[in-house]
Amino acid sequence: MSAVRRILRDNGLGLFFGGLFLITLVGQAFAGQAQYNDQQVSNGGDPVSLMQYVTSSTFAVDVVENWQSEYLQFFLYIFLTVWLVQRGSPESKDIEKAGTESDEEQKVGEHARDDSPAWAGLTDWRGALFSRSLGIVMGAIFAFSWLAQSVTGWAAYNSEQLGNREDPVTWLAYLGEPDFWNRTLQNWQSEMLAVGSMAVLGVYLRQRGSPESKPVGAAHADTGETG
């Protein structure tokens, strides 16, 4: 097998979703520009070019408001599944393993293997940081995305205010506006529904060969198994 084919095989999941991300982002740009220009024309304004639209606060806030909700979902799921379990779900660990688990189970400190990451064998702050690094990074991306949403949403909101000959608001005032919380909560509720549904439906339904599903013949009560 050639090196290129091996790279494609070994990284197929990440490459596939990375490609889908770019395709859908480009599609969103074109669809958003068309919708924006329709509104501009109906309001007696001038249409804008694609470049003008993708560099506008209108496009930016539509993008980052989805990013922050997705990373909130992952952040909460990574941390909460340390302690919370769902009997029979492949998305949950075994009922008896609720909590941070022992050093031996986690292969850290003196229990680290030869092929373990270098920081897994450390018992100082580096080991503690690495053992929580996934959740920390996901939480940081969520926080920065939510901040970006608030700033771009504020700019888009003030643009509409000025277009309607109304006074603009400060960033802090915008954080209390219904526009900000409507953009935020409409994304949060959909993410919470999706995660909860995945955890519960996986108890009773199967997808053969998927690591997100239990083996087809596994009992409904089997927890933490994947096929």
Side-chain angles (χ1 to χ4, degrees):
M1 181 181 295
S2 68
V4 174
R5 291 183 61 187
R6 186 177 297 108
I7 291 173
L8 292 175
R9 182 201 64 183
D10 293 350
N11 300 281
L13 196 58
L15 291 171
F16 180 78
F17 278 100
L20 278 183
F21 164 72
L22 293 176
I23 291 171
T24 53
L25 184 63
V26 171
Q28 179 185 355
F30 280 101
Q33 180 205 15
Q35 181 184 33
Y36 183 83
N37 282 340
D38 284 344
Q39 293 175 343
Q40 284 288 96
V41 172
S42 64
N43 293 331
D46 297 324
V48 299
S49 67
L50 181 64
M51 182 58 67
Q52 288 175 312
Y53 176 72
V54 298
T55 55
S56 69
S57 57
T58 301
F59 177 69
V61 69
D62 287 344
V63 171
V64 295
E65 74 180 28
N66 288 290
W67 289 4
Q68 59 88 7
S69 63
E70 294 292 343
Y71 281 100
L72 173 64
Q73 171 195 153
F74 287 124
F75 169 69
L76 290 177
Y77 200 72
I78 289 166
F79 270 109
L80 293 180
T81 51
V82 174
W83 296 279
L84 302 182
V85 295
Q86 180 69 47
R87 182 179 295 277
S89 176
E91 299 297 316
S92 167
K93 58 183 177 180
D94 290 338
I95 306 296
E96 296 76 16
K97 290 187 176 181
T100 56
E101 303 179 15
S102 68
D103 288 354
E104 183 177 4
E105 290 174 312
Q106 287 292 308
K107 301 180 179 63
V108 298
E110 63 181 13
H111 302 286
R113 305 182 310 193
D114 291 339
D115 59 351
S116 296
W119 282 20
L122 303 177
T123 56
D124 56 12
W125 65 269
R126 292 170 293 179
L129 178 63
F130 183 69
S131 67
R132 297 164 177 82
S133 56
L134 181 60
I136 290 172
V137 169
M138 289 293 185
I141 295 175
F142 157 67
F144 282 118
S145 298
W146 199 19
L147 175 62
Q149 179 201 327
S150 71
V151 173
T152 55
W154 169 51
Y157 181 81
N158 278 343
S159 179
E160 291 183 5
Q161 289 287 97
L162 292 172
N164 294 329
R165 293 181 174 81
E166 298 180 8
D167 293 333
V169 301
T170 65
W171 175 70
L172 286 177
Y174 176 69
L175 297 184
E177 289 289 334
D179 179 80
F180 173 70
W181 288 104
N182 179 54
R183 287 180 178 277
T184 295
L185 295 175
Q186 69 178 334
N187 286 283
W188 285 8
Q189 56 86 13
S190 63
E191 300 301 336
M192 300 307 109
L193 175 63
V195 172
S197 299
M198 185 69 177
V200 175
L201 292 177
V203 176
Y204 306 102
L205 305 180
R206 310 285 189 270
Q207 183 62 51
R208 184 168 182 164
S210 175
E212 298 302 313
S213 166
K214 293 188 287 190
V216 177
H220 288 327
D222 289 348
T223 307
E225 285 197 40
T226 58

